[in-house]
Structure formats: structure tokens, C-alpha cells
Amino acid sequence: MSEKRIREHPVLDFQRKDGFFFDFEGKQVLAYPGETIASALYAQGLQRFTESKLLKRPRGFFCAIGKCSSCIMRVNGVPHVRTCITPAREGMKVERHGAMPEFPDTTLPCPKVKEENIEVAVIGGGPAGLSAAIVAAENGADVHLFDENTNLGGQLVKQTHQFFGRYEEHAGTRGTDIGKDLAKRAEEAGVNIHTNSTVLGYYHKNKIAVDAGNRLEIYGCEGIVYATGAVENFLAFENNDLPGIYGAGGVQTLMNEYGVIPGDRVLMVGAGNVGLIVSYQLLQAGVDVVEVVEAMPTIGGYQVHASKLRRAGVPISTGHTVKKALGNEQVEGAVLHELDENWEPVTGTERTVECDIICIAVGLKPDNHFLRLAGCKMKYVRELGGMVPLRTETLETSVEGLFVAGDSAGIEEATVAILEGELTGAAVTEKIKGGSEKLLAVKKRARAGIEEMRKGPYGQRPLEGVRACTFEGVCPE
Ligand SMILES: Cc1cc2nc3c(=O)[nH]c(=O)nc-3n(C[C@H](O)[C@H](O)[C@H](O)COP(=O)(O)OP(=O)(O)OC[C@H]3O[C@@H](n4cnc5c(N)ncnc54)[C@H](O)[C@@H]3O)c2cc1C
Ligand code: FES
């Protein structure tokens, strides 16, 4: 296995001190404090993480944020561990177990159960959750914030570019710095922060269950703000399950959070802002981007991002898509073809590109299984990326005391996530502790900001979507 770590980067400085080793199938693997098992293994060149159930096809990882299960392994005897969000620890024992692992050793110690009643639970420590927690804590609520990752900041922890949006909500600042700033403010406001804590389920009367690693925690909550973000969309094409086909967020996590080189030659699929930005970040990390393909006839992202790529010599082919991935154990190339105005393949336009990574950047959908479990009324709204909860003007769902902010309520961007977080933080505090002039002012300011954002060039689509799922008073049947 050869080390695949970024040594020099124009923006990021990867501190690699106090390295340690863990056991992977009898071999010693080097890891650094703060990195996950999957990142350490990938840095050593591992691509096959698990396999498919029926055909035993190889599976690499995909999302790198705990949402797709293609990285599960046995860790210290426990199967089905999501290695992409589990921190590597010295001396741990990691092994692959395929799609159908044996039942865990029943002599392992049972997790302890802790029960507690709290005022506000915030689920998710991205910009939406952190902003909600800050407002609620600054206005006297006892707030507990849960995030299943080690680092707070959600998607922001890997955004090295300067953000677009409103200057009041940090536009012009690098995403990584916005995340750190919000996390610091949450700590200063007295938020009880629980990292590496996955919220597993919702129970009657706003009770939640949390997997805190070595114990199960049950919280009875007076109010909940749900802000778990989004899941990346996938794309149907032949051989699309090969290791080396990753979501744009997965590639960013490897490269910008852990300083691991995802591959040598990347084909980017999707020329929206995410595809363009991640392509540029790949170039910054010293990776060759062979081409960006986009099925639409025009580029969806900002021209400024597209121009940077073109200046760097990266071709952007609109009206093109991937027909199939080449390779057996991992990606070795891709066959592309042109699409006509009816999205049909144009015969005779097939061509092959050599690449070892196919990066999929074709949009996101809201992550909100928990809300369905809680019985929230949901609706399919295309403009917001899929199934979304119906919400009141203060972003409360049809389940009383359960509020939703950010991408899990509909795909927009970080500025709106921050403002929605502030609005829900104020609304949940008002509900529990009563209203105040200060809370009223926060709500007013957040609402005005959201309205302003939705007047912008990318705001029309979500605005139509939000109109379709806002209810007043009694929720429609
Ligand atoms: C490449 C890229 C570039 C972008 N550029 C911009 C930009 O320039 N400007 C802009 O405004 N926006 C940008 N965005 C969008 C922005 O990052 C997101 O809209 C924003 O992060 C959404 O915030 P959120 O808090 O809703 O979700 P997230 O940031 O996704 O945070 C969700 C959090 O919830 C946690 N979580 C999930 N499930 C659970 C669970 N069960 N238990 C506990 N915790 C859980 C996750 O670990 C995560 O920390 C970009 C996004 C990408 C991918
Ligand atoms: S859950 Fe680990 S890669 Fe998706």
C-alpha cells in the first residue's frame, strides 16, 4: 500500500503529529489524531471497503458522512460500523466483513443506558443547527446539540472557498472558517455539545434516542430543532457501483478535511456550483481533472467558477453524460456520450476517457427520515430536492415542538441554513420559555434575511418550493 497524503496545499495546513497505529486485517495502519478509520485506510491505498450482498461486487466508500453504508466494517468485534465517521484509535482492530456479517460476540459488554430530561435538543451541528443552538442558549434555554461527526460545522468543514450569500452571514469568508466561528460561538453561549453522537430515533412526546458510542442515551425534550442536512444524489449508469465512484462531498471530505488524495485523474459529473468548486479544489490539491461533463445544455453554476477551470485547461462539456464506468475491481475509465435536446444519446458520439475517479455532483436531497418516523406531514416538492416536511412560518412541523432548519427541510445554501437556524432557535425558545423583545427581533431579522436571499438569482426555485409546503395554524390533511 502506498501513502496518498497531500503534503502541500495553497489554503490548508495539515498538521500531522502524534501518528499512531491500528490493526487492519493483521497489518499496522498509520493514522493521525482526528481522522476517521476510512480516511486512514484510504490514505494507505485501500479502495475495496465491503461488497454487495448477492453478486459480491466490490464496494468503495461514497458519501464519507455516514449516510450510505458503503464503508461498513467490523471494529473491535462490532459489525456494521460506519468507518467514515468513526475516529481511528490506537490499537483498535478493524476488518472487512462483507455484506452479511456474523452476529456480534454476545460476551461483549452491553451499552449502558442514560436517561435525562432537557429543554432543547438540536440535532445536527452544521450551520443551521449551530445557529439555532446559539440563539436558544443566548436566550436562556438549556440546549444540547448532537452531531454524529467528530468536527462541528457540517458541510462547512470542507469548504475551502470563499462563500457566496449575504455578507451578514459570512459571505466572502471561507466555509472552513465560518464553521469554526459558529462552533466557537456555540461553546461560548454554553451549548452542551455532544459530538460522535448519532440520533437514532424519535419516540412519543419528543423523546429521542442517541448512540453515544459506548452507551445509549434517551432524552425527553421540550423542543427539538432538527438540522441533519442533505444526502447526495446518485446517477444510474452501467458499472456505477465500482470503487472510485464517489460523491463530491466524499471527495471533499477526504481531501480537505483529512488531507488525503482521492485519486490521480478525476472525471467530474455535474457543472453546478458543487461540481465546479470541487473540481477547482481537486486542482488545488494537485489532482488532474480530466473533464467536467454536464447533461444540461448550459453550465448551472456561477460563470466565475467555470472560468477558473477553463483557464486551468479543464474542458467542460455540456450536453454530455456518462454511459458506463470501465474497470473490474475499481474505476479505470469511463465511456461518455452526447445527449440530444430530448436527453437521448446521440449515436456515434461515444468516446472513452481515462480516469481513476468518477466524482458525482448531481445535486442533493434532504435527509429527513427522522421526521417521517416522528409522523411529520411530508410532501414531495421538486424545487426543494424531494420529500420535505410541511412547516409553519416559524418552521415548526405538524408535530408540536419539532422544528426543522436548513437542508433537511429543502436544498438551498448555507446563508439560508444559518438564518433558518436562527429563526428556529428563537421560535423554540419562545415556545418553551415565553416571548421577549430580543427573540422577536431575532425572528424579524432572520425572516427578512431569508426573504432577501430568495429574491436573489438562485432564490426563485426554492421560493416556489417553500410556498408549496408552508401551512398556517391547522396542518392540512
Ligand atoms: C461543494 C459545496 C459548496 C458549497 N458552497 C456554498 C457556498 O459557497 N455558499 C453557500 O451559502 N452554501 C454553499 N454550500 C451549501 C452549504 O454547505 C449547505 O447548504 C449547508 O451546509 C447546509 O447546512 P445544514 O446545517 O442544513 O446541513 P449540514 O451542513 O449538512 O449539517 C448537518 C449536520 O448534521 C449532522 N447529522 C446528520 N445526521 C445526524 C444524526 N442522525 N445525528 C446527529 N447528527 C447528524 C451531520 O454530521 C452534519 O454535521 C455548498 C455545499 C457544497 C457541498
Ligand atoms: S456511510 Fe461511510 S461512505 Fe457513506
Side-chain angles (χ1 to χ4, degrees):
M1 290 184 181
S2 61
E3 269 259 304
K4 289 166 123 183
R5 296 206 183 256
I6 299 171
R7 304 282 162 205
E8 275 176 38
H9 194 281
V11 180
L12 298 166
D13 179 18
F14 298 104
Q15 300 283 333
R16 294 204 183 95
K17 278 192 270 169
D18 307 323
F20 56 86
F21 291 89
F22 66 86
D23 180 293
F24 174 67
E25 298 177 348
K27 293 188 197 85
Q28 290 297 296
V29 172
L30 174 65
Y32 292 96
E35 84 172 327
T36 60
I37 297 171
S39 133
L41 289 173
Y42 199 93
Q44 299 303 321
L46 187 84
Q47 287 226 322
R48 185 183 182 128
F49 279 59
T50 180
E51 61 189 24
S52 68
K53 204 183 275 181
L54 292 179
L55 300 176
K56 311 281 178 229
R57 283 173 63 87
R59 291 276 184 270
F61 82 167
F62 178 73
C63 73
I65 51 169
K67 299 194 183 189
C68 75
S69 82
S70 48
C71 65
I72 51 171
M73 293 191 196
R74 189 189 311 276
V75 177
N76 291 336
V78 179
H80 283 143
V81 174
R82 292 170 295 171
T83 57
C84 70
I85 56 165
T86 304
R89 303 245 187 261
E90 186 159 16
M92 70 184 353
K93 198 168 176 320
V94 180
E95 57 199 322
R96 288 173 287 194
H97 57 38
M100 195 58 86
E102 280 170 23
F103 198 75
D105 177 0
T106 46
T107 58
L108 289 171
C110 256
K112 294 191 178 49
V113 181
K114 168 192 156 181
E115 276 201 66
E116 197 180 329
N117 287 329
I118 59 175
E119 285 185 343
V120 178
V122 175
I123 308 174
L130 284 167
S131 305
I134 293 167
V135 167
E138 282 178 347
N139 286 279
D142 164 39
V143 184
H144 290 250
L145 180 140
F146 303 92
D147 196 290
E148 60 184 358
N149 275 288
T150 307
N151 300 316
L152 289 177
Q155 291 292 321
L156 300 180
V157 296
K158 49 207 170 193
Q159 312 299 348
T160 51
H161 64 287
Q162 293 169 346
F163 262 45
F164 44 82
R166 282 194 352 144
Y167 275 91
E168 295 87 328
E169 274 70 43
H170 314 271
T173 310
R174 292 190 197 282
T176 40
D177 295 335
I178 306 173
K180 279 187 203 141
D181 178 56
L182 289 173
K184 184 164 165 270
R185 282 177 52 207
E187 213 180 315
E188 285 165 1
V191 175
N192 301 287
I193 293 168
H194 307 248
T195 49
N196 300 121
S197 297
T198 302
V199 175
L200 298 172
Y202 175 93
Y203 300 88
H204 190 50
K205 291 192 178 158
N206 281 348
K207 268 197 175 181
I208 59 169
V210 181
D211 169 4
N214 56 356
R215 71 176 173 197
L216 182 68
E217 299 180 341
I218 313 284
Y219 293 90
C221 317
E222 288 182 46
I224 299 176
V225 177
Y226 183 80
T228 58
V231 189
E232 286 189 272
N233 288 333
F234 202 53
L235 207 56
F237 55 87
E238 196 179 327
N239 250 353
N240 68 356
D241 59 345
L242 277 182
I245 301 176
Y246 306 139
V251 164
Q252 270 195 318
T253 306
L254 275 180
M255 173 169 88
N256 297 345
E257 202 171 350
Y258 303 118
V260 173
I261 299 167
D264 296 325
R265 289 170 62 79
V266 174
L267 169 72
M268 179 64 67
V269 184
N273 276 324
V274 171
L276 298 177
I277 289 169
V278 176
S279 296
Y280 190 70
Q281 292 174 352
L282 280 158
L283 297 179
Q284 284 182 314
V287 178
D288 189 9
V289 179
V290 291
E291 188 165 340
V292 178
V293 289
E294 165 60 59
M296 301 280 286
T298 53
I299 292 169
Y302 288 136
Q303 280 305 325
V304 59
H305 297 310
S307 304
K308 272 175 154 180
L309 286 180
R310 285 201 171 113
R311 279 200 299 276
V314 177
I316 304 177
S317 309
T318 52
H320 278 71
T321 194
V322 184
K323 182 178 182 209
K324 74 175 189 184
L326 302 172
N328 293 317
E329 278 295 303
Q330 59 194 63
V331 171
E332 288 167 18
V335 177
L336 310 179
H337 61 66
E338 270 180 47
L339 296 171
D340 66 18
E341 59 283 5
N342 301 315
W343 298 76
E344 293 295 334
V346 180
T347 34
T349 59
E350 283 181 16
R351 63 190 163 90
T352 302
V353 289
E354 262 182 51
C355 57
D356 58 356
I357 301 287
I358 300 176
C359 184
I360 310 283
V362 294
L364 304 164
K365 58 175 163 291
D367 173 6
N368 49 34
H369 314 288
F370 176 96
L371 301 177
R372 295 184 219 188
L373 192 68
C376 297
K377 292 221 159 63
M378 310 286 290
K379 186 172 179 179
Y380 181 81
V381 182
R382 196 171 52 93
E383 293 83 354
L384 296 176
M387 290 298 284
V388 292
L390 301 186
R391 297 185 295 173
T392 63
E393 294 265 302
T394 52
L395 315 185
E396 189 169 9
T397 64
S398 58
V399 171
E400 197 179 358
L402 176 49
F403 295 77
V404 189
D407 278 359
S408 46
I411 306 304
E412 293 193 59
E413 31 67 87
T415 307
V416 174
I418 290 174
L419 291 163
E420 284 203 350
E422 290 174 358
L423 180 54
T424 50
V428 75
T429 312
E430 196 171 58
K431 186 148 200 142
I432 292 170
K433 303 191 92 65
S436 71
E437 286 294 314
K438 202 171 151 201
L439 287 172
L440 206 62
V442 174
K443 287 197 323 189
K444 207 170 148 197
R445 180 189 161 278
R447 273 216 196 96
I450 295 169
E451 227 169 81
E452 189 192 315
M453 282 303 296
R454 289 183 183 147
K455 281 187 194 142
Y458 287 85
Q460 271 312 307
R461 201 177 144 91
L463 180 62
E464 279 166 35
V466 168
R467 282 193 187 128
C469 59
T470 303
F471 72 92
E472 282 172 47
V474 180
C475 186
E477 283 305 318

